[in-house]
Amino acid sequence: MRLFTILLCLLVCFPLAAPKKTDAQIKEQKQALKKLEGDLAKKRQELAMLESEEKGVLNTISLLDQNLNQTRTYIAELAKSEAMVQGAVVRLAADIDSLDRKIVERKEAMRRRIRSLYVNGRQSEALVLYNLLSQKGNPDRQVYWVHHILNEDREQVLMLSRMMEERDEMKKTEQGHLEDLNRMRSRKAQEEKGLVTQMSGQEKMLLSLKQDKNMQKKALQEFERNQKTMQALIKKLEEKRKKEIEAAKKAEEERKRKEKAAKAKKGKGGKPEKEEKVVKKPQVAVTTPVTGPKCMPLKGEVISQYGLQEHPVLHITTRNLGVEIRGKKGSAVRAAAAGTVAMVAEIDGRGPSVIIEHEGGTYSVYGHLQSIRVQEGKTVQNCEEIGIVGDIASLNGIKLYFQVSEGTQTVDPLEWLKQK
């Protein structure tokens, strides 16, 4: 019975250690914040250089928008970290308070023990030891209880010492969390103030763009230049495709010529020449529509249609070669149809992009990607994930630029998706 009481006391005085999950989450969140801070500092440096060098209007608007989005993300992550650390502080305070009460109880028990020893001495323990040693029973059990009685006071002192050490460690952790909390709150207030300044700067620039005809002209020239760059890339890919078709055609003609010559020689009694193996390539001389299933590359609202319309940011009439689809952070971008990755590149006005070649010389373009998960030459299936949507080189937040060309001629991507 006494052994059970001692074990129960130990469990009460030393509760099971709290899981380290919260500490691990806080550490992981700190690392995520550090990465965000690095990315944010880099983007702000790029923007400062861009403004000092007076670069293009579209590049400046794009970087302003990216900075705003990253600042908002950073503030949201700071708030998340703040809530996480605040929760840890509250739990630690409760644990420390509980431990303080146990320490007070332990000290009071020791005070009573000391008083009992002062009044009675150790006669009672001597009597218990005599009874244990004089009784018949398990010798090992008797030895255990003798050892326990002789060391009980020492164990009580050590137990109190461990409780005090545990409390000191908890207070140290609590103090560290409070310092982190103050830093995060100060940084968040600073970033929120900076966000207001950034938004004001963006509004001023867009207002100037509406009113300044010269700036509008520059923006339109940049936009058209980016469109021409895209068209030139598609043209280059189409020329490459046609050259490959022509080369395959010539190789096939040469194979047939050699086969015919070998048959003629055999007919005259000679030995046929050794036939060279020629890999036969699909021969598609003209552009044909893609057949088979198609897939919407991103789930979201179409915010910019194909063809002539007023640009939502520039407020000037432009001719869109594709469509823009609003995206959410971390959303997957998928191949609209089966094909081969013809190009992975950073494209002016489109940022990190993927171009997929489909059967018959049809090309689909996916721009403003945050990350790309395919390589050039890779075969992709319909609806296969090729990357993550982002806001790089975008003028208005996270979105996907999606373009379809049949040969070098662009078509409405949404209508193309409906074709079976």
Side-chain angles (χ1 to χ4, degrees):
M1 184 67 185
R2 187 165 182 171
L3 177 60
F4 175 76
T5 305
I6 295 296
L7 289 172
L8 185 61
C9 180
L10 286 171
L11 286 172
V12 170
C13 294
F14 290 99
L16 293 174
K20 299 292 183 182
K21 187 177 179 181
T22 301
D23 290 341
Q25 287 175 332
I26 290 173
K27 185 178 179 181
E28 187 178 328
Q29 188 67 15
K30 279 183 179 179
Q31 291 172 344
L33 277 175
K34 190 174 181 181
K35 185 179 184 304
L36 273 173
E37 286 170 7
D39 293 343
L40 199 55
K42 185 179 177 182
K43 286 294 178 188
R44 287 174 180 173
Q45 187 178 13
E46 286 178 13
L47 183 60
M49 289 175 63
L50 204 63
E51 288 172 340
S52 64
E53 294 173 8
E54 295 184 355
K55 293 285 184 178
V57 177
L58 299 187
N59 283 344
T60 305
I61 294 174
S62 170
L63 273 177
L64 274 170
D65 192 68
Q66 285 179 62
N67 268 277
L68 280 172
N69 288 334
Q70 284 195 317
T71 300
R72 290 189 185 101
T73 301
Y74 183 53
I75 290 172
E77 289 299 316
L78 277 171
K80 181 180 175 182
S81 295
E82 182 185 339
M84 192 180 290
V85 175
Q86 179 65 49
V89 169
V90 170
R91 286 189 294 273
L92 271 171
D95 291 343
I96 291 169
D97 185 60
S98 175
L99 192 56
D100 280 341
R101 288 196 298 271
K102 289 172 185 174
I103 288 171
V104 169
E105 291 170 3
R106 178 60 48 195
K107 284 181 176 179
E108 178 59 24
M110 290 185 70
R111 188 189 68 77
R112 289 195 300 268
R113 172 64 175 160
I114 292 168
R115 181 174 177 79
S116 173
L117 287 172
Y118 178 76
V119 173
N120 302 318
R122 302 191 68 98
Q123 292 178 4
S124 60
E125 280 84 354
L127 184 60
V128 172
L129 287 171
Y130 175 77
N131 290 334
L132 277 170
L133 293 172
S134 61
Q135 289 174 3
K136 291 182 180 181
N138 187 327
D140 291 337
R141 184 174 178 79
Q142 289 175 329
V143 170
Y144 166 77
W145 280 111
V146 169
H147 177 77
H148 172 71
I149 290 170
L150 292 174
N151 287 280
E152 186 174 7
D153 289 335
R154 178 174 173 272
E155 289 298 325
Q156 295 297 330
V157 172
L158 289 175
M159 187 182 295
L160 179 61
S161 176
R162 287 194 292 268
M163 290 172 74
M164 296 292 287
E165 287 174 2
E166 183 183 357
R167 184 187 183 279
D168 289 342
E169 283 297 317
M170 291 169 76
K171 287 295 288 182
K172 186 178 177 182
T173 303
E174 182 188 41
Q175 184 60 35
H177 284 340
L178 287 171
E179 289 173 2
D180 286 343
L181 204 55
N182 289 332
R183 278 195 296 268
M184 281 187 282
R185 284 171 176 168
S186 175
R187 187 65 187 266
K188 191 174 78 165
Q190 183 183 347
E191 289 296 330
E192 285 172 341
K193 186 178 178 181
L195 180 64
V196 173
T197 304
Q198 288 180 57
M199 289 172 68
S200 176
Q202 188 188 50
E203 285 173 6
K204 285 179 181 177
M205 184 164 190
L206 293 175
L207 185 62
S208 297
L209 184 61
K210 286 182 183 179
Q211 298 172 348
D212 190 331
K213 297 296 181 184
N214 186 46
M215 190 180 284
Q216 283 186 0
K217 185 179 178 181
K218 285 183 178 179
L220 184 58
Q221 287 173 345
E222 284 180 62
F223 185 85
E224 289 175 346
R225 186 164 59 247
N226 292 340
Q227 299 280 61
K228 287 177 181 177
T229 298
M230 178 60 73
Q231 290 290 68
L233 287 174
I234 298 297
K235 184 180 179 182
K236 185 178 178 181
L237 290 173
E238 179 62 4
E239 287 173 351
K240 179 184 175 184
R241 184 185 77 92
K242 287 181 176 179
K243 283 180 181 178
E244 288 175 351
I245 290 170
E246 190 61 32
K249 185 179 178 182
K250 287 181 179 178
E252 178 65 10
E253 288 174 353
E254 180 66 14
R255 186 190 68 79
K256 287 180 178 179
R257 185 192 64 77
K258 286 184 177 180
E259 190 179 70
K260 187 177 179 181
K263 285 180 180 178
K265 190 172 183 180
K266 188 177 180 181
K268 293 179 181 179
K271 289 183 179 180
E273 292 179 4
K274 190 177 179 181
E275 242 183 78
E276 288 184 13
K277 287 185 179 179
V278 179
V279 178
K280 193 172 181 181
K281 228 182 160 184
Q283 297 181 33
V284 185
V286 293
T287 303
T288 58
V290 177
T291 58
K294 297 186 181 69
C295 174
M296 192 71 178
L298 179 70
K299 292 180 180 178
E301 177 191 359
V302 177
I303 57 173
S304 180
Q305 299 284 345
Y306 175 78
L308 286 173
Q309 62 180 300
E310 182 179 305
H311 195 282
V313 177
L314 303 178
H315 296 287
I316 50 182
T317 302
T318 58
R319 181 179 179 275
N320 291 346
L321 301 180
V323 297
E324 293 175 337
I325 305 169
R326 174 65 67 213
K328 293 181 181 178
K329 185 179 179 181
S331 295
V333 175
R334 304 183 183 279
T340 303
V341 179
M343 182 178 288
V344 173
E346 181 97 15
I347 301 175
D348 291 344
R350 306 290 174 236
S353 304
V354 171
I355 301 178
I356 298 176
E357 180 184 331
H358 308 283
E359 61 177 334
T362 298
Y363 303 89
S364 58
V365 181
Y366 311 80
H368 305 306
L369 300 183
Q370 183 65 40
S371 62
I372 295 171
R373 298 184 177 178
V374 291
Q375 299 82 39
E376 288 185 13
K378 175 181 169 60
T379 299
V380 292
Q381 301 304 314
N382 174 52
C383 232
E384 181 178 337
E385 185 176 331
I386 61 172
I388 300 296
V389 69
D391 62 353
I392 301 174
S394 166
L395 303 183
N396 55 339
I398 297 174
K399 65 184 181 184
L400 172 71
Y401 173 77
F402 178 50
Q403 175 184 317
V404 175
S405 296
E406 291 180 345
T408 56
Q409 182 64 44
T410 60
V411 297
D412 187 337
L414 301 181
E415 292 299 319
W416 179 79
L417 286 171
K418 295 176 184 177
Q419 296 172 6
K420 301 296 182 184

